[in-house]
């Protein structure tokens, strides 16, 4: 949940769906109960033992912040509906990956104490209890707040017993034509064993009585996932006055036709979440792609982790389900209202702009604008003149990153293109451009990370399509995920080779680029070109390289580079010189980094930490972290960029890139941070941080006791502006200023 995968924003990290919390998305991808960093930082024994926040509870606190947006009456109604869906999707991933991993480690005896030293069994009990409380609050928000307000606005979810005969006739006809033929009721008796129940699917448990024998039988019916979750009651209704019925309720009121001659006694809805984490054992005897395909087949049959049931389920049915799933009662979530509110994604897409955020059209970065509408911008000329920093989605992905790759594919002077692909969309123009370049005879290398969680199958498909077109496809290094975001274009110019590079914080995905906040640097710097050439040789060949000029690269040099810079700021502070650290990331868990920040705070360094999701650092604790401020911003966009800024005694060092402050990013992935050197770009990032930490901007503040406090109104009770709205306005005003200056 990279998911809102760890999601959160208006959408998340499945590249094809609005689900936040993933990239990275979503919670997914954060390994559960990661071991502590190999070596504690010097002086760690002098710091208090309770200096970390439990990472699992911190993730749940993040999802609570998503829920608070759904509960906020000032947020447009369909956006609140979307946040409810995001919360549900995030929580599913939390159980499928994080809770599943913890349970697996407990069962196998491999679980280690958490980052706060707690027993894994205690943590499992607390996160289960907390998740259940949040899910009940989530259901109440839908049932008591959002659903009634939607009805007032002309979007109604209706019950079968409220419909008249005409409505029922219309829906019955729809059911018989579109639903009935694909239903598969499965009996459970000595001749029919309990069927396999797929993860995250809605099911009906049904009890029927045979009138001849008076015997009660049990059957299970899966609610088809390929049919829309909410069915229009009458397609002739106006767009501003529509009614829907939940698919499971429509099916439940047609059960007599599925069991002719039997008496339907009752039915109940249930849903199971399974362990869907993938563990791949890589060796030299089998290709990675074959090993992954086998593991993906096993994913479907992962053990149950959570059972959700409707609150009207009878004890006999519950006992049967608990017994068949082999699940303990602690993992049974009894809920009032509809199960699986991730289905609300469909409602949030309704064409009711009056119930949504005001549309924002991304602007084209001024360095990439053509001099006239009839001209095509010269991407290479623009980058050669000056480095370009783009900020998505405020600035267009299609007229920057996408246009850069497309132009490289068709430019006759381009000899080679190298690119990393972590997550991309199903109809990606980026992939199409790489294929076009290969077919034109250019050297094309695509490093496809097929282990990107929950995008594995899509990435396998694209990897094979690229290979068939003649692209050199590699899968990175054994034991390491390739998470960096790089494009390297080699172009012949005036008898020599020029290097054009893009280094980003987000994936090469045109769809998520509209909802994920990310930075990207375009440069023709020979220095960066040499660095990126070295790195691609490491990724595709047998080169061993740890020395780079403008890049910090994990796993060899990134951790060390960050720790050295944090300590340098502490030395400046102790000597009375200017010092400051500002960090923006999706998650912060790494103990060595946190301890280094504590010591820098004790030295007097002002430290601002901007975190979207998991945050294990404590802020504002006397004697430990008095100079540390932590903020979180959630909104229509998923805050996804990673920025690391150090004052450096008045000569700022600022890096952007792909790495979060987690063990996996620093030690088990190929990650890249690129140094920003253009003064205008440094000023722009400085302004962005000023927005993020202004007390006059809506955000969540981490308190010394580890709780998050939302500040959405000022001391006078006035609503504070949204940071993302401010950045949108800032970019629009900058475009207007640029236009005036050229007239």
């Amino acid at each position: 949940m990279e998911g809102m995968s760890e999601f959160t924003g208006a959408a998340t990290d499945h590249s094809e769906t609005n689900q936040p919390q993933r990239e990275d998305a979503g919670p997914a991808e954060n390994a559960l109960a990661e071991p502590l960093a190999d070596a504690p930082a010097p002086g760690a024994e002098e710091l208090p033992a309770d200096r970390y926040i439990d990472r699992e509870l911190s993730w749940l606190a993040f999802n609570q912040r998503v829920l608070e947006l759904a509960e906020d009456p000032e947020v447009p109604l369909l956006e609140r509906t979307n946040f409810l869906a995001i919360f549900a999707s995030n929580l599913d991933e939390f159980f499928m990956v994080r809770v599943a991993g913890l349970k697996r480690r407990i069962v196998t005896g491999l679980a280690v104490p958490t980052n706060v030293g707690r027993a894994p069994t205690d943590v499992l009990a607390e996160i289960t209890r907390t998740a259940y409380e949040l899910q009940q609050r989530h259901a109440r928000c839908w049932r008591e707040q959002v659903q009634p307000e939607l009805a007032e606005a002309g979007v109604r979810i209706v019950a079968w017993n409220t419909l008249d005969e005409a409505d029922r006739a219309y829906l019955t006809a729809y059911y018989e034509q579109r639903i009935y033929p694909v239903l598969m009721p499965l009996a459970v008796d000595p001749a029919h064993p309990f069927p396999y129940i797929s993860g995250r699917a809605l099911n009906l448990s049904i009890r029927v009585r045979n009138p001849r024998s008076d015997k009660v039988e049990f059957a299970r019916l899966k609610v088809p996932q390929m049919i829309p979750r909410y069915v229009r009651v009458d397609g002739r209704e106006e767009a501003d006055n529509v009614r829907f019925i939940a698919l499971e309720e429509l099916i439940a009121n047609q059960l007599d036709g599925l069991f002719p001659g039997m008496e339907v006694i009752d039915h109940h809805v249930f849903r199971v979440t399974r362990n869907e984490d993938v563990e791949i054992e890589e060796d030299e005897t089998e290709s990675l792609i074959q090993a992954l395909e086998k593991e993906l087949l096993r994913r479907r049959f992962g053990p149950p982790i959570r059972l959700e049931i409707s609150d009207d389920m009878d004890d006999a049915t519950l006992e049967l389900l608990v017994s068949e799933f082999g699940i303990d009662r602690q993992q049974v979530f009894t809920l009032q209202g509809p199960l699986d509110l991730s289905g609300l994604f469909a409602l949030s897409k309704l064409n009711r702009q009056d119930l949504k955020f005001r549309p924002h059209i991304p602007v084209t970065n001024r360095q990439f604008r053509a001099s006239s509408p009839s001209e095509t911008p010269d991407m290479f000329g623009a980058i050669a003149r000056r480095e370009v920093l783009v900020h998505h989605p405020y600035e267009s992905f299609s007229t920057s990153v996408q246009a850069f790759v497309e132009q490289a594919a068709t430019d006759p002077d381009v000899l080679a293109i190298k690119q990393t692909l972590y997550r991309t969309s199903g109809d990606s123009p980026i992939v199409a451009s790489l294929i076009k370049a290969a077919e034109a005879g250019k050297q094309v290398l695509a490093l496809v990370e097929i282990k990107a969680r929950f995008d594995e199958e899509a990435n396998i498909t694209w990897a094979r399509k690229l290979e068939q077109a003649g692209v050199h496809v590699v899968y990175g290094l054994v034991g390491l995920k390739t998470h960096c975001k790089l494009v390297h274009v080699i172009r012949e110019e005036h008898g020599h080779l020029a290097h054009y590079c893009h280094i980003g914080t987000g994936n090469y995905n045109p769809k998520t680029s509209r909802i994920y906040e990310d930075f990207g640097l375009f440069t023709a710097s020979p220095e960066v070109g040499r660095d990126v050439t070295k790195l691609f040789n490491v990724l595709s060949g047998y080169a061993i390289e740890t020395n780079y000029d403008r890049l910090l690269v994990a796993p060899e040099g990134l951790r060390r580079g960050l720790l050295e810079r944090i300590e340098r700021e502490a030395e400046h502070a102790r000597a009375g010189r200017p010092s400051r650290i500002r960090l923006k990331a999706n998650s912060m868990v790494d103990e060595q980094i946190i301890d280094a920040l504590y010591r820098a705070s004790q030295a007097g360094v002002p430290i601002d930490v901007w975190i979207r999701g998991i945050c294990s650092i404590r802020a504002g604790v006397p004697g430990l972290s008095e100079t540390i401020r932590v903020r979180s911003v959630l909104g229509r966009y998923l805050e996804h960029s990673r920025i690391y800024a150090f004052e450096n005694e008045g000569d700022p060092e600022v890096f952007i890139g792909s790495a979060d402050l987690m063990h996996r990013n620093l030690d088990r992935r190929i990650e890249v941070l690129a140094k920003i050197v253009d003064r205008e770009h440094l000023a722009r990032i400085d302004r962005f941080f000023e927005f993020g930490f202004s007390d006059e901007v809506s955000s969540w503040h981490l308190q010394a006791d580890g709780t998050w406090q939302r500040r959405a109104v000022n001391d006078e009770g006035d609503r504070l502006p949204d940071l993302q709205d401010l950045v949108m306005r800032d970019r629009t005003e900058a475009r207007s200023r640029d236009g005036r200056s050229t007239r």
Side-chain angles (χ1 to χ4, degrees):
M1 170 187 345
E2 283 183 346
M4 275 89 231
S5 252
E6 259 162 48
F7 181 81
T8 310
T12 187
D13 219 22
H14 293 285
S15 57
E16 296 293 344
T17 61
N18 283 339
Q19 301 172 9
Q21 217 29 292
R22 288 201 35 172
E23 168 164 283
D24 285 40
E29 272 227 311
N30 292 317
L32 262 199
E34 288 182 333
L36 299 178
D38 293 338
E45 66 280 357
E46 301 170 5
L47 298 171
D50 61 350
R51 62 191 182 274
Y52 308 124
I53 297 172
D54 184 280
R55 55 174 294 162
E56 314 307 338
L57 293 175
S58 179
W59 187 91
L60 288 170
F62 152 75
N63 213 28
Q64 178 177 320
R65 298 197 291 280
V66 180
L67 180 55
E68 288 174 14
L69 288 174
E71 294 169 334
D72 187 347
E74 296 298 319
V75 174
L77 198 48
L78 284 180
E79 304 295 351
R80 295 171 66 187
T81 306
N82 194 49
F83 284 122
L84 286 172
I86 287 168
F87 175 96
S89 176
N90 284 352
L91 198 62
D92 280 350
E93 280 199 22
F94 180 74
F95 275 90
M96 290 188 299
V97 178
R98 304 188 65 81
V99 176
L102 184 55
K103 287 199 70 173
R104 182 176 63 247
R105 288 170 173 81
I106 291 172
V107 169
T108 58
L110 298 176
V112 297
T114 68
N115 65 322
V116 296
R118 298 181 64 198
T121 50
D122 293 341
V123 173
L124 179 61
E126 183 168 2
I127 62 177
T128 301
R129 181 173 61 253
T130 303
Y132 184 31
E133 291 169 356
L134 281 175
Q135 197 165 357
Q136 290 177 312
R137 175 175 163 182
H138 173 246
R140 286 195 303 273
C141 178
W142 166 248
R143 191 174 62 250
E144 299 174 8
Q145 300 176 42
V146 177
Q147 185 178 4
E149 291 180 39
L150 278 174
E152 290 180 13
V155 180
R156 290 179 288 161
I157 310 298
V158 298
W160 179 265
N161 60 13
T162 67
L163 301 175
D164 60 24
E165 289 303 317
D167 290 334
R168 292 186 181 189
Y170 173 84
L171 287 172
T172 299
Y174 177 89
Y175 167 84
E176 292 175 348
Q177 295 169 13
R178 303 292 301 277
I179 302 173
Y180 175 75
V182 301
L183 296 180
M184 298 180 184
L186 298 176
V188 176
D189 56 31
H192 301 87
F194 192 84
Y196 169 77
I197 308 293
S198 54
R200 292 179 287 166
L202 281 175
N203 300 270
L204 294 178
S205 64
I206 304 161
R207 290 195 304 161
V208 296
R209 177 183 289 110
N210 188 327
R212 295 177 180 175
S213 63
D214 205 36
K215 185 177 181 182
V216 175
E217 306 283 5
F218 176 87
R220 170 263 188 169
L221 182 64
K222 181 177 180 178
V223 178
Q225 293 172 291
M226 73 292 297
I227 296 174
R229 173 69 184 283
Y230 292 97
V231 178
R232 286 281 295 270
V233 172
D234 186 343
R236 297 168 297 180
E237 293 172 328
E238 299 295 328
D240 60 351
N241 184 24
V242 294
R243 291 177 299 160
F244 295 90
I245 188 171
L247 178 59
E248 64 270 25
E249 178 158 3
L250 174 56
I251 293 173
N253 282 278
Q254 305 288 335
L255 292 178
D256 288 340
L258 279 172
F259 301 95
M262 305 289 281
E263 177 192 354
V264 177
I265 300 173
D266 58 23
H267 68 273
H268 309 286
V269 183
F270 71 94
R271 181 175 184 260
V272 67
T273 310
R274 294 182 176 275
N275 179 346
E276 295 197 24
D277 198 10
V278 170
E279 290 193 343
I280 306 161
E281 297 295 332
E282 300 169 273
D283 58 38
E284 297 178 358
T285 64
E286 184 176 40
S287 75
L288 174 59
I289 203 164
Q290 290 173 329
L292 181 56
E293 286 176 322
K294 288 182 180 178
E295 190 61 33
L296 289 175
L297 289 175
R298 286 195 288 270
R299 170 188 277 174
R300 293 182 53 224
F301 301 97
I305 300 299
R306 174 183 57 165
L307 173 63
E308 297 168 271
I309 63 171
S310 56
D311 61 355
D312 59 352
M313 181 173 285
D314 62 282
D315 291 339
T317 300
L318 177 57
E319 286 297 332
L320 174 65
L321 295 178
V322 167
S323 173
E324 292 293 343
F325 287 132
I327 199 169
D328 60 62
R329 287 301 185 101
Q330 184 187 47
Q331 303 303 125
V332 177
F333 284 23
T334 304
L335 299 165
Q336 184 181 358
L339 304 186
D340 187 20
L341 288 179
S342 67
L344 295 176
F345 278 128
L347 292 185
S348 70
K349 294 183 175 68
L350 284 172
N351 186 23
R352 286 289 302 274
Q353 198 53 55
D354 58 314
L355 303 180
K356 297 183 179 182
F357 289 126
R358 189 163 51 107
H360 168 66
I361 300 175
V363 301
T364 297
N365 184 286
R366 61 183 173 86
Q367 292 173 253
F368 287 149
R369 292 177 204 152
S371 55
S372 71
S374 61
E375 293 185 9
T376 300
D378 178 7
M379 306 296 290
F380 299 113
I383 299 167
R385 285 189 293 273
R386 184 180 182 183
E387 292 186 344
V388 183
L389 183 71
V390 292
H391 194 187
H392 312 301
Y394 311 107
E395 293 176 308
S396 171
F397 180 90
S398 63
T399 60
S400 57
V401 178
Q402 186 176 319
F404 174 64
V405 179
E406 289 173 345
Q407 198 165 114
T410 58
D411 189 322
D413 294 324
V414 168
L415 305 180
I417 305 172
K418 307 172 189 177
Q419 182 164 5
T420 60
L421 292 173
Y422 190 75
R423 301 187 195 277
T424 190
S425 59
D427 54 353
S428 171
I430 299 288
V431 172
S433 292
L434 296 179
I435 290 173
K436 184 183 295 184
E439 291 173 344
K442 302 181 190 302
Q443 285 278 93
V444 182
L445 173 72
L447 196 148
V448 180
E449 182 47 79
I450 57 173
K451 292 177 288 182
R453 183 174 281 130
F454 300 119
D455 280 337
E456 299 97 340
E457 292 177 272
N459 286 1
I460 288 173
T461 299
W462 282 113
R464 287 184 165 146
K465 187 171 183 178
L466 287 164
E467 284 178 325
Q468 292 167 1
V471 174
H472 301 294
V473 177
V474 294
Y475 304 111
L477 304 177
V478 173
L480 296 173
K481 277 188 180 181
T482 303
H483 188 246
C484 53
K485 324 299 182 183
L486 301 173
V487 180
H488 185 199
V489 175
I490 298 94
R491 190 171 188 258
E492 187 169 17
E493 296 178 355
H494 311 297
H496 74 279
L497 297 184
H499 298 258
Y500 294 88
C501 301
H502 173 268
I503 302 169
T505 68
N507 297 311
Y508 294 107
N509 188 323
K511 293 186 177 180
T512 58
S513 70
R514 301 169 195 154
I515 51 178
Y516 280 30
E517 176 273 329
D518 277 301
F519 279 97
L521 175 69
F522 293 88
T523 178
S525 160
E527 187 179 45
V528 175
R530 288 192 299 270
D531 281 353
V532 175
T533 298
K534 292 177 185 178
L535 181 55
F536 269 108
N537 287 342
V538 170
L539 295 174
S540 65
Y542 289 112
I544 299 175
E545 180 62 56
T546 59
N547 297 315
Y548 302 93
D549 294 317
R550 267 184 67 182
L551 305 183
L552 293 177
V553 179
E556 297 296 332
L558 180 51
R559 175 188 292 279
R560 181 179 66 250
L562 292 176
L563 289 172
E564 287 173 353
R565 285 164 175 81
I566 294 170
E567 175 55 28
R568 183 184 63 195
E569 295 302 312
E571 291 175 0
H572 288 322
R574 285 189 284 265
R577 297 187 293 267
S579 65
R580 182 166 60 169
I581 298 171
R582 293 184 295 180
L583 310 175
K584 182 177 186 291
N586 295 307
S587 299
M588 174 185 283
V589 172
D590 189 86
E591 292 84 5
Q592 282 192 11
I593 297 292
I594 292 174
D595 286 354
L597 292 172
Y598 285 148
R599 289 192 300 277
S601 177
Q602 292 171 336
V605 179
I607 301 171
D608 288 338
V609 178
W610 183 344
I611 294 292
R612 184 187 82 226
I614 304 172
C615 182
S616 291
I617 199 169
R618 292 188 179 275
V621 178
L624 175 68
S625 57
E626 292 176 67
T627 66
I628 297 177
R629 297 189 299 172
V630 180
R631 300 286 185 267
S632 184
V633 174
L634 306 179
R636 71 161 75 187
Y637 300 135
L638 185 148
E639 292 290 328
H640 192 251
S641 65
R642 292 88 163 185
I643 308 171
Y644 300 89
F646 306 92
E647 180 65 21
N648 192 29
E649 199 183 1
D651 183 19
E653 275 198 316
V654 177
F655 296 84
I656 66 167
S658 57
D660 287 311
L661 295 172
M662 306 183 72
H663 311 124
R664 64 177 192 183
N665 299 100
L666 301 178
D667 301 325
R668 302 196 299 276
R669 286 184 170 191
I670 305 296
E671 304 276 13
V672 169
L673 299 183
K675 187 176 179 179
I676 303 297
V677 297
D678 186 289
R679 290 292 170 184
E680 183 180 306
H681 299 164
L682 292 172
R684 187 172 168 189
I685 289 175
D686 184 72
R687 181 171 173 79
F688 187 48
F689 270 110
E690 287 178 1
F691 281 148
F693 283 86
S694 170
D695 287 336
E696 298 306 312
V697 169
S698 178
S699 62
W700 281 262
H701 297 199
L702 181 61
Q703 307 300 299
D705 64 359
T707 61
W708 290 88
Q709 183 179 90
R710 189 181 185 196
R711 181 175 168 82
V713 296
N714 61 20
D715 294 338
E716 289 71 42
D718 298 323
R719 183 84 176 186
L720 291 173
D722 179 81
L723 174 136
Q724 295 175 349
D725 286 340
L726 288 180
V727 178
M728 278 187 274
R729 191 182 315 148
D730 188 61
R731 285 294 86 207
T732 302
E733 291 174 354
R735 180 186 176 100
S736 298
R737 289 194 300 270
D738 295 338
R740 288 194 298 270
S741 66
T742 59
R743 284 200 280 270

